[in-house]
Amino acid sequence: GPMTAGEGDGKAAAKKPVARGRKKKQAEPATRGLTAAQTAQGTPPAAVAKLAAAIETEGGSVLAVFRDPLGGNWQILAALPLEIVRPTPFQRDLSETHAARLAQAIDGLDRFLDPVIAVRAEAGVYWTPNGLHRTAALRALGGRTVTALVLPEMETAYRILALNTEK
């Protein structure tokens, strides 16, 4: 599993109990997660390799398979055909104004700089819990492809969707 801060350093975690009502102490700088080199090391689990193969079969292109620097979880940066990326069900409604503003900004830069999160829902269908407006903007511009951070677990998409609808 992912390494946690302090794991394997031989020191016992002697922590004082935190008094209730106090703000959580901020983590010490550079003590959590992976080094830059570690994000690209290791062999992806079978489920991640299978997902990468599915992306390629379904018209996408795997750009990178790597581990998230904070939690060490495997994920895939991919280019996906826009027509196979859909909003996660139960998502908030599209704001036409927001999508139009995004389209204008993306068009002005001539770059799509903010990949969406996606999960594979079924063969040839990827759901995005946080890319409704960016994918709508790309469609309005006639875009063919969207860059996506494809996560191997559906639960993470639902957690992101919940965070986005809490606002």
Side-chain angles (χ1 to χ4, degrees):
M3 291 275 288
T4 54
E7 193 173 288
D9 64 2
K11 293 178 202 155
K15 290 182 180 167
K16 287 190 276 185
V18 179
R20 290 198 184 276
R22 278 204 198 150
K23 203 174 145 194
K24 188 180 169 197
K25 186 179 177 279
Q26 196 167 342
E28 286 297 313
T31 58
R32 184 173 168 195
L34 305 178
T35 63
Q38 286 172 325
T39 63
Q41 293 169 353
T43 304
V48 175
K50 189 178 166 190
L51 176 59
I55 289 168
E56 294 284 343
T57 300
E58 294 162 356
S61 183
V62 172
L63 306 174
V65 178
F66 65 102
R67 293 167 70 196
D68 162 72
L70 193 63
N73 301 294
W74 286 93
Q75 53 200 17
I76 299 172
L77 182 65
L80 297 175
L82 192 53
E83 73 263 10
I84 68 171
V85 179
R86 307 194 185 131
T88 311
F90 320 115
Q91 205 159 124
R92 61 193 169 140
D93 293 335
L94 177 77
S95 159
E96 297 286 351
T97 310
H98 183 49
R101 248 186 271 131
L102 276 173
Q104 197 175 13
I106 293 166
D107 195 30
L109 287 170
D110 204 24
R111 288 175 183 264
F112 185 80
L113 296 173
D114 191 9
V116 300
I117 306 291
V119 292
R120 187 170 183 261
E122 61 187 70
V125 178
Y126 291 77
W127 284 349
T128 176
N130 75 342
L132 175 65
H133 291 90
R134 280 169 288 157
T135 54
L138 276 177
R139 281 186 181 93
L141 293 170
R144 289 192 258 205
T145 305
V146 61
T147 40
L149 202 52
V150 185
L151 307 179
E153 18 3 76
M154 184 67 79
E155 315 84 83
T156 309
Y158 284 118
R159 288 170 67 187
I160 291 164
L161 184 61
L163 289 173
N164 282 354
T165 52
E166 266 172 22
K167 293 171 184 161

